[in-house]
């Protein structure tokens, strides 16, 4: 798997690229709601994952002339995921 930085700064890709992120976001929020309603034990990491994938999907749904807004949303999604990883590592080490 190669990482191409120019794709990160590209124009929004439209529905074809957003559908996986939007679907994943709905799945994460649905799993959270299921556990919260049935077991009263919703997990904050599920909300963070849902929020990050929603931001990624929204970034792809923006009009093509909103490139900077898409980049900001993508960076915000990555920051959320890195914060989630940092929190998990901190709890493992303590």
């Amino acid at each position: 798997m190669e990482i191409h930085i120019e794709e990160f700064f590209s124009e929004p890709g439209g529905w074809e690229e957003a559908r996986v992120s939007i679907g994943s976001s709905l799945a994460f929020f649905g799993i959270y709601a299921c556990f919260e309603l049935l077991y009263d034990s919703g997990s904050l990491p599920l909300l963070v994952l849902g929020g990050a994938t929603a931001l990624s999907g929204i970034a792809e749904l923006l009009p093509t002339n909103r490139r900077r807004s898409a980049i900001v949303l993508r960076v915000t999604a990555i920051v959320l995921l890195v914060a989630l990883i940092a929190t998990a590592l901190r709890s493992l080490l303590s």
Side-chain angles (χ1 to χ4, degrees):
M1 181 175 148
E2 292 183 37
I3 298 174
H4 299 281
I5 195 72
E6 62 272 1
E7 289 179 14
F8 181 74
F9 295 108
S10 66
E11 294 176 343
W15 175 249
E16 291 298 317
E17 297 196 17
R19 64 182 177 185
V20 173
S21 295
I22 297 296
S24 299
S25 175
L26 291 174
F28 285 127
F29 288 136
I31 292 168
Y32 173 82
C34 178
F35 275 93
E36 185 64 34
L37 292 173
L38 294 178
Y39 304 110
D40 198 29
S41 65
S43 175
L44 182 63
L46 282 173
L47 287 178
V48 173
L49 287 170
T53 55
L55 288 173
S56 176
I58 292 169
E60 296 304 324
L61 288 175
L62 291 175
T64 55
N65 62 349
R66 302 293 300 241
R67 183 183 209 169
R68 287 187 181 148
S69 300
I71 292 170
V72 168
L73 288 172
R74 290 172 186 150
V75 167
T76 305
I78 290 172
V79 167
L80 280 173
L81 294 173
V82 168
L84 180 64
I85 292 171
T87 303
L89 288 175
R90 191 180 78 197
S91 68
L92 282 175
L93 296 175
S94 61

